[in-house]
Amino acid sequence: MRPAILSVLMLLTWHQRTLAQEDMKTTMYGYINSYSEKSENQAMLKGAGTSTTRGQAQNNVAYEVRDIHFVMQSTLGDRFKSFLNLRAPGANGVEVSNAWVEAKLAGDYLSFRLGKMYRPFEIYNEILDAVPTYIGIEPPELFDTDHLMVTRTTNMMFHGITGAGDGLIRYAVTTGNDERSSNELPVGVDVRYIKDIKWTFGTSAYTSGGNAKPINEYVIGGGSGSPEGGVLPWMDSDQYNVYGAYAQYLDDRFTIQASYFIADHKAQRNLAAVQDMCNTASGTPLNRRQQSRFNCATAGSEDVDGDYQVKAWYVRAGYNLPAGNYGNVTPYLQYDSYTNEETIQDEDHGGDNEAGQSDDGHTEKWTAGMVYRPLTPVAVKADYSLHNQDVMGKDGSYGEVRFSLSYYWRM
């Protein structure tokens, strides 16, 4: 018995010495993003259900601390890693955006990550919080919180990097709780080729793996809020796939990005939710396209077949101009196109007040702006966007001015 105990004690002592010899490094950093916005008076749908008319929204200046982030990253040797990202949206309360641990299984070729993480998807999903680091103030339309194509976070990932000629291939496969109805297996895939650090070509895809359900379901007579994933609140179930490609060129002067994604949805609407939206007394404002899709004209026979498609693409370009001791200035241009034939205008019920009010479900946005960095951790941004869409047979274009001041800190 004593030799066995002695062996255990010796093993524990060796294990503690091994851990002590490992190089544990912990870094803490974060960023604050303050934001202001003023939109021109915007054409909007007014009324309810089939009694909808064209009106105009009065938009006041908005001021907010859009995000405060506190990030802690820790590594233990070259085998283990952990990450914690705490967020205070609007400077009101704290929530966990990311919390995960990672272990290398086969060097850089294969690692395993478990927890709550931003999925590798397109250029922006993993970096969207880090406002000081990229050109632009608003995210690309496929990451707009009013109409996400897929959940931003997931729970498990296998990923790695391998050499390919004079470049690198980074690959990732993810799954998690996402929007599962029961035992479905949602899967996300991202593969990108990186050459000379400057060029990136990639493709991302996602499948719900069967029936998915909305994270925030439609509330009769209330508000469900914007969808937190790809399933709209008024759906009972939705089987959907998202796929697309992206490219980026990045050097000391130029930043050029382009992306194109499609989401195919095979969904079933909730009948009670559709009837509530069609209600002429208390429903949401619906245009002719939506009234026809939901078959609002025939009470009691509203359409619950919710199959539809979403298309989103954009181009972004910036040029860095060094200003000597005064930092640098980066003017940029952006174009966004977004089409969603299913969504409604009412954001309180999970809609989108751009594509949702458009006659054909299509909206586009032209943006011109500038980033000024007096110092590397500070980004002062200003831009102007022109939104184009048709509302009840007339031009519904309007302009929007935004200003952002963000600061990155590190310990």
Side-chain angles (χ1 to χ4, degrees), residues 40 69 78 105 107 114 118 124 162 182 192 196 198 245-246 355:
E40 295 175 352
H69 285 268
D78 61 353
L105 304 180
L114 188 65
Y118 289 139
Y124 275 90
T162 186
S182 55
R192 61 189 69 182
D196 299 330
K198 298 179 179 180
Y246 55 90

Side-chain angles (χ1 to χ4, degrees), residues 22 38 80 85 156 200 205 209 228 232 305 310-311 314 318 320 325 329 333 363 370:
E22 292 282 7
K38 176 65 174 76
F80 301 99
N85 178 8
M156 186 172 72
T200 299
E228 296 180 31
L232 292 167
D305 181 2
V310 181
K311 294 181 180 180
Y314 71 83
N320 184 42
N325 294 332
V329 176
L333 295 173
T363 183
M370 181 187 71

Side-chain angles (χ1 to χ4, degrees), residues 215-230:
I215 295 174
N216 44 343
E217 297 180 356
Y218 189 96
V219 178
I220 305 297
S224 56
S226 297
E228 296 180 31

Side-chain angles (χ1 to χ4, degrees), residues 77-114:
D78 61 353
R79 296 177 298 169
F80 301 99
K81 182 188 298 184
S82 67
F83 187 84
L84 175 66
N85 178 8
L86 302 179
R87 172 176 175 250
N92 294 313
V94 177
E95 60 185 43
V96 179
S97 292
N98 306 118
W100 50 260
V101 293
E102 178 177 298
K104 285 188 175 182
L105 304 180
D108 292 332
Y109 297 112
L110 184 63
S111 295
F112 173 68
R113 184 180 297 180
L114 188 65

Side-chain angles (χ1 to χ4, degrees), residues 17-210:
R17 287 178 179 174
T18 302
L19 288 178
Q21 292 170 0
E22 292 282 7
D23 184 15
M24 177 179 283
K25 296 180 180 179
T26 301
T27 303
M28 290 181 286
Y29 59 95
Y31 24 89
I32 299 174
N33 175 33
S34 56
Y35 175 86
S36 178
E37 174 188 285
K38 176 65 174 76
S39 297
E40 295 175 352
N41 292 340
Q42 180 181 357
M44 298 283 285
L45 302 175
K46 298 290 185 181
T50 56
S51 299
T52 299
T53 59
R54 177 181 163 122
Q56 194 173 63
Q58 303 294 322
N59 294 313
N60 298 319
V61 179
Y63 303 99
E64 60 179 301
V65 179
R66 175 165 282 191
D67 280 312
I68 300 173
H69 285 268
F70 177 87
V71 182
M72 183 179 69
Q73 180 172 308
S74 181
T75 59
L76 182 60
D78 61 353
R79 296 177 298 169
F80 301 99
K81 182 188 298 184
S82 67
F83 187 84
L84 175 66
N85 178 8
L86 302 179
R87 172 176 175 250
N92 294 313
V94 177
E95 60 185 43
V96 179
S97 292
N98 306 118
W100 50 260
V101 293
E102 178 177 298
K104 285 188 175 182
L105 304 180
D108 292 332
Y109 297 112
L110 184 63
S111 295
F112 173 68
R113 184 180 297 180
L114 188 65
K116 180 182 181 182
M117 69 207 70
Y118 289 139
R119 68 175 75 247
F121 193 88
E122 209 259 350
I123 300 169
Y124 275 90
N125 195 55
E126 293 176 285
I127 67 168
L128 207 56
D129 289 344
V131 178
T133 65
Y134 56 81
I135 59 173
I137 298 176
E138 292 285 284
E141 287 297 315
L142 69 157
F143 295 113
D144 192 305
T145 53
D146 290 345
H147 46 245
L148 293 172
M149 277 190 161
V150 65
T151 59
R152 285 200 63 204
T153 61
T154 189
N155 304 107
M156 186 172 72
M157 176 168 73
F158 290 93
H159 68 107
I161 299 175
T162 186
D166 55 355
L168 296 172
I169 294 178
R170 176 191 170 192
Y171 43 88
V173 179
T174 59
T175 189
N177 295 323
D178 299 358
E179 300 160 292
R180 294 186 306 170
S181 291
S182 55
N183 295 319
E184 293 80 10
L185 182 65
V187 176
V189 177
D190 180 86
V191 180
R192 61 189 69 182
Y193 173 69
I194 304 168
K195 181 180 179 182
D196 299 330
I197 305 178
K198 298 179 179 180
W199 291 97
T200 299
F201 301 95
T203 182
S204 299
Y206 177 84
T207 179
S208 62

